[in-house]
Amino acid sequence: MSLTRILPLFILFLFVSPAMAQTSQPDWAKIEEETMRHFQAILRLDTSNPPGNESLVVDYLKSALEREGIETKVFANDPKRANLVARLRGNGKKRPVLIMGHTDVVTVDPTKWKHPPFSATREGGYVYGRGATDDKDNVVACLMVMLLLKRMNTPLDRDVIFLAEASEEGGGPNGIGFMVDQHWAEIDAEYCFAEGGGVVRTGGKIQYAGVATTEKIPQGARLVARGISGHGSVPLRSNAVVHLAQAVAKVAAWRTPMRLNETTRAYFERLAKISSPEAAARYNKLLQPGDSPGGSDDAQEYLAVNEPRLYSTLRTSISPNIIKGGYRSNVIPSEAEATLDIRAAPNEDLTWFFDEMKKVINDPAVEIVRNQAGRPGSPPSRLDTEAFRVIEEANKRVYNVVTLPTMLTGATDMAQLRARGVQCYGIGPMTDSEDGPKGFGAHSDQERILEEALHRFVRFHWDIVVNLARGNAP
Ligand SMILES: [Zn+2]
């Protein structure tokens, strides 16, 4: 055992609270072997979506859980794309906690992979495979937590429900929407833990733990410009391509208003405390009252250029991603169209937003066509809950870092649960911030996870669930 392996354990003991000390700890060395066995087995099941075939993972989980006497149920809209629910019963004193992971993965181009994408190859302290960090890490952590709670016969004040869900990547009718609409009673819970967070390590040093407490709402739209068609040798002022190009340039340059919420405020406050003085000054500037639109302009501009993900968390964002118009060089087309990827801040007033966009474009030849929102909006999950508190404590104990509540710019299946009033927290394993840009992140051709990070994540997951659900022994 190397020093780097001993140190985290040593830190773990340092931060053991009296409450934790009363709980017997699982035999982690043995658990690590078992975790790796299940993780590799699950990674080797090809659940690329489309088509999905998530039932492969459901069958695996079902037998692993039932072998140890844990009750499971399978719900399928399509027999190949099942969802699994397992439940450990508590004494009902508190409402359930739902732990979940999605079993589908994004598709692969196998020719680009050094290690075959469904081989779960172990090399140099990593496990490689599609789904290694999205989201089979959460799936296996949930499985291990269920097995441990059952084996240790942990008395529970609330039910612990495990949902292994299909069809997260790209939505669709088989996963969370199906469960929420048709089998709500099976997953109804006070709290949920799912993907979306993670512990950030930079230069080998753990910086902070991000916990996703809210996310932006995807809200697409199209800009359609219409003009008079004609011969390309006679340019027209009404040319639809020209009107569209001007409209696209205007919406892209539009600095939409800042919309901070409880999550993003806390995020920038806490981030400032662990940042360099320069960066801290910038983050604090964003939080000053009356800063919008004047005072924090330079700080905002800095983020727009250098930290675009953070900039996006400040506001509803617009990215024009598809542009179409015309079909031959000598014909002035009568129509041209641009597709905008709009990600609304959770507290955005969308009626106001689109009225304002119309004013920004200021061109009667351009129509804004809104798409249906793909996921419902809802307020951020609260930071003053028992669940958030146990997460903060576990991050101290397991990683010795502070917790930053974060707003995801992308969308997850937590949206549907939050809309039903469940307080949801996105968690995840430790990753090196250098890994993503090098091409080893989620959805990449070399998706991988540090073995050490996977095992620590299982400990962290067990810690939060046990501290949230454990009751007193009868
Ligand atoms: Zn995912």
Side-chain angles (χ1 to χ4, degrees), residues 120-419:
T121 305
R122 293 172 73 178
E123 189 186 86
Y126 292 91
V127 185
Y128 289 81
R130 171 61 84 229
T133 57
D134 184 10
D135 185 31
K136 288 175 173 173
D137 50 338
N138 262 293
V139 172
V140 83
C142 293
L143 171 65
M144 294 311 299
V145 167
M146 296 299 280
L147 295 176
L148 286 172
L149 289 172
K150 175 74 178 173
R151 280 177 206 162
M152 297 174 75
N153 207 9
T154 311
L156 300 171
D157 269 351
R158 55 173 102 231
D159 289 6
V160 178
I161 309 167
F162 169 27
L163 169 63
E165 40 143 10
S167 187
E168 191 275 343
E169 304 287 359
N174 300 303
I176 196 69
F178 168 67
M179 291 305 297
V180 167
D181 293 345
Q182 303 199 28
H183 300 287
W184 177 242
E186 300 292 340
I187 57 169
D188 185 6
E190 181 173 13
Y191 298 115
C192 106
F193 298 134
E195 67 176 333
V199 177
V200 177
R201 191 168 74 168
T202 304
K205 189 173 181 298
I206 300 179
Q207 307 291 320
Y208 63 85
V211 172
T213 50
T214 186
E215 60 191 49
K216 297 181 93 176
I217 307 157
Q219 170 64 70
R222 289 177 299 133
L223 301 181
V224 183
R226 295 188 181 89
I228 296 159
S229 61
H231 199 289
S233 66
V234 184
L236 297 174
R237 286 285 158 92
S238 70
N239 187 321
V241 170
V242 176
H243 284 259
L244 181 71
Q246 286 167 344
V248 167
K250 283 179 191 164
V251 295
W254 178 28
R255 178 164 286 172
T256 60
M258 281 227 302
R259 299 271 190 241
L260 291 172
N261 57 50
E262 190 194 5
T263 290
T264 48
R265 277 190 181 284
Y267 175 79
F268 283 108
E269 272 166 25
R270 294 183 189 191
L271 183 61
K273 287 193 186 129
I274 55 168
S275 297
S276 69
E278 250 182 12
R282 264 194 307 273
Y283 300 140
N284 284 324
K285 214 165 178 186
L286 300 169
L287 300 166
Q288 283 155 17
D291 55 1
S292 183
S296 66
D297 271 5
D298 54 340
Q300 292 195 49
E301 188 53 28
Y302 181 91
L303 294 193
V305 175
N306 300 289
E307 297 181 77
R309 195 182 56 78
L310 295 193
Y311 181 78
S312 179
T313 66
L314 295 173
R315 53 176 34 84
T316 297
S317 61
I318 306 168
S319 182
N321 294 345
I322 305 174
I323 193 156
K324 287 191 296 204
Y327 56 95
R328 33 178 313 147
S329 65
N330 60 355
V331 172
I332 299 172
S334 59
E335 201 171 291
E337 187 182 298
T339 304
L340 309 179
D341 186 355
I342 297 170
R343 303 297 175 123
N347 52 350
E348 186 61 80
D349 174 349
L350 284 167
T351 307
W352 175 89
F353 180 85
F354 283 104
D355 285 349
E356 198 62 21
M357 185 188 280
K358 203 173 163 61
K359 288 183 204 156
V360 167
I361 294 171
N362 190 26
D363 183 348
V366 178
E367 187 194 353
I368 303 169
V369 184
R370 280 175 68 171
N371 300 347
Q372 284 273 65
R375 300 195 193 246
S378 51
S381 294
R382 298 202 319 270
L383 308 184
D384 61 355
T385 60
E386 197 184 350
F388 193 73
R389 205 169 49 245
V390 301
I391 290 172
E392 288 187 291
E393 286 165 4
N395 278 326
K396 272 239 152 66
R397 240 185 327 263
V398 179
Y399 301 102
N400 194 25
V401 283
V402 293
T403 300
L404 266 50
T406 60
M407 177 166 78
L408 298 176
T409 53
T412 75
D413 283 351
M414 288 187 285
Q416 281 88 336
L417 296 167
R418 286 201 185 100

